[in-house]
Amino acid sequence: MTAPAPSSGEHLPVRTAAVWAALDALAGSGTPLRVLDVGGGSGVFAVPLARLGHQVTVVDPSADALATLERRATTAGVGDRVRGLQGDGDLLHELPLAEGDSDGGYDLALCHAVLEVVDDPATTLGEITRALRPGGQVSVATANRAGAVLARALSGHPKEALALLEDRDPAPGRTRPARRRFAPDDLLALLRNAGLEPAEWRGVAVVSDLLDATSDADPEAVRRLELALAGTSPYRDVATGLHVLATRP
Ligand SMILES: C[S@@+](CC[C@H](N)C(=O)[O-])C[C@H]1O[C@@H](n2cnc3c(N)ncnc32)[C@H](O)[C@@H]1O
């Protein structure tokens, strides 16, 4: 049996409440949208959006993630509204994105937790901009450098916290490249340089990640608090993540 479609983020993880609130404003109107989820992985966002009636194309280099996406979409009864394409966010122009999208691009793109790991965030954002229709929007979520500094400090790693603060690699000895973190102004500049017009940024997981795992705080109350803090400084400044919607003019 197909589970009921979420009408908003209330059935979804509290820590991404601010992201879902922004997406709801775009995707909750009842008009089916063409959505491109770059680095959408196993469909944490794609499948709920498909359940709201949208047509979602997920681009991800991971075959495993795409296999999980397919299973998850089928289980949710939306296999016909989710398309997985194996590929790279830096090379969207090489993919058959236009299939089924004949009138000039996507209404909405997602780029969540991806700019941290791509080769070049500016290239990825440029590719996404070109995949949007004029007036289309991209939802960008990234790690927040200030939140990462505090998290390292509070977990007893002051040297790594200082390295992050100074934009140095907190673990220079490892083989994998460091995951990027973004300061809000740097993220906004990247979006503008890609030809996008960003709206105001919001903090994601301002308090959720600080809560003790054994906390019995009412999730609905935490969700309301997250939404209240997401747009409010100084709270949003130290959130785990940043979220911003940006429009292709
Ligand atoms: C942390 S996961 C985020 C998944 C999903 N966007 C979400 O928010 O739940 C990062 C995803 O980016 C994908 N990825 C890594 N390099 C990429 C690239 N160059 N282009 C597009 N996606 C990439 C990974 O395979 C992974 O699925």
Side-chain angles (χ1 to χ4, degrees):
M1 193 177 76
T2 305
S7 57
S8 70
E10 71 254 32
H11 302 302
L12 298 156
V14 163
R15 63 184 308 285
T16 51
V19 179
W20 277 108
L23 291 179
D24 268 353
L26 303 174
S29 72
T31 307
L33 302 177
R34 292 157 307 173
V35 181
L36 174 65
D37 189 354
V38 177
S42 59
V44 168
F45 286 88
V47 171
L49 285 172
R51 289 175 59 209
L52 288 171
H54 306 296
Q55 201 73 40
V56 188
T57 296
V58 174
V59 172
D60 201 287
S62 164
D64 285 349
L66 292 175
T68 306
L69 166 74
E70 192 179 333
R71 274 198 306 278
R72 191 178 257 172
T74 303
T75 304
V78 293
D80 57 334
R81 289 205 288 275
V82 176
R83 177 170 67 129
L85 285 178
Q86 192 168 13
D88 199 314
D90 297 353
L91 297 167
L92 292 179
H93 65 274
E94 291 186 354
L95 298 172
L97 289 185
E99 200 178 283
D101 303 298
S102 51
D103 66 343
Y106 287 84
D107 302 304
L108 173 65
L110 312 186
C111 182
H112 293 171
V114 173
L115 294 182
E116 291 87 334
V117 296
V118 295
D119 288 343
D120 178 21
T123 304
T124 302
L125 286 174
E127 292 278 301
I128 290 173
T129 304
R130 281 185 286 280
L132 289 170
R133 66 166 170 78
Q137 289 182 283
V138 57
S139 163
V140 178
T142 68
N144 179 22
R145 180 176 313 149
V149 169
L150 276 189
R152 291 293 167 106
L154 291 175
S155 62
H157 298 97
K159 288 182 193 157
E160 289 85 344
L162 191 59
L164 278 176
L165 177 67
E166 294 171 349
D167 204 12
R168 289 183 284 112
D169 186 345
R174 79 178 138 217
T175 46
R176 275 188 303 148
R179 198 169 152 257
R180 268 180 220 99
R181 272 88 176 178
F182 294 84
D185 284 350
D186 296 343
L187 180 60
L188 295 178
L190 265 175
L191 292 166
R192 289 193 189 100
N193 288 339
L196 294 159
E197 290 174 352
E200 200 187 346
W201 69 272
R202 293 166 71 80
V204 179
V206 179
V207 290
S208 301
D209 292 347
L210 300 173
L211 278 177
D212 194 301
T214 59
S215 159
D216 59 359
D218 171 15
E220 180 49 29
V222 178
R223 196 177 75 87
R224 282 202 303 273
L225 180 62
E226 282 292 350
L227 293 177
L229 298 176
T232 310
S233 286
Y235 310 103
R236 68 174 184 169
D237 304 327
V238 293
T240 301
L242 307 173
H243 180 255
V244 62
L245 286 175
T247 306
R248 176 179 169 176

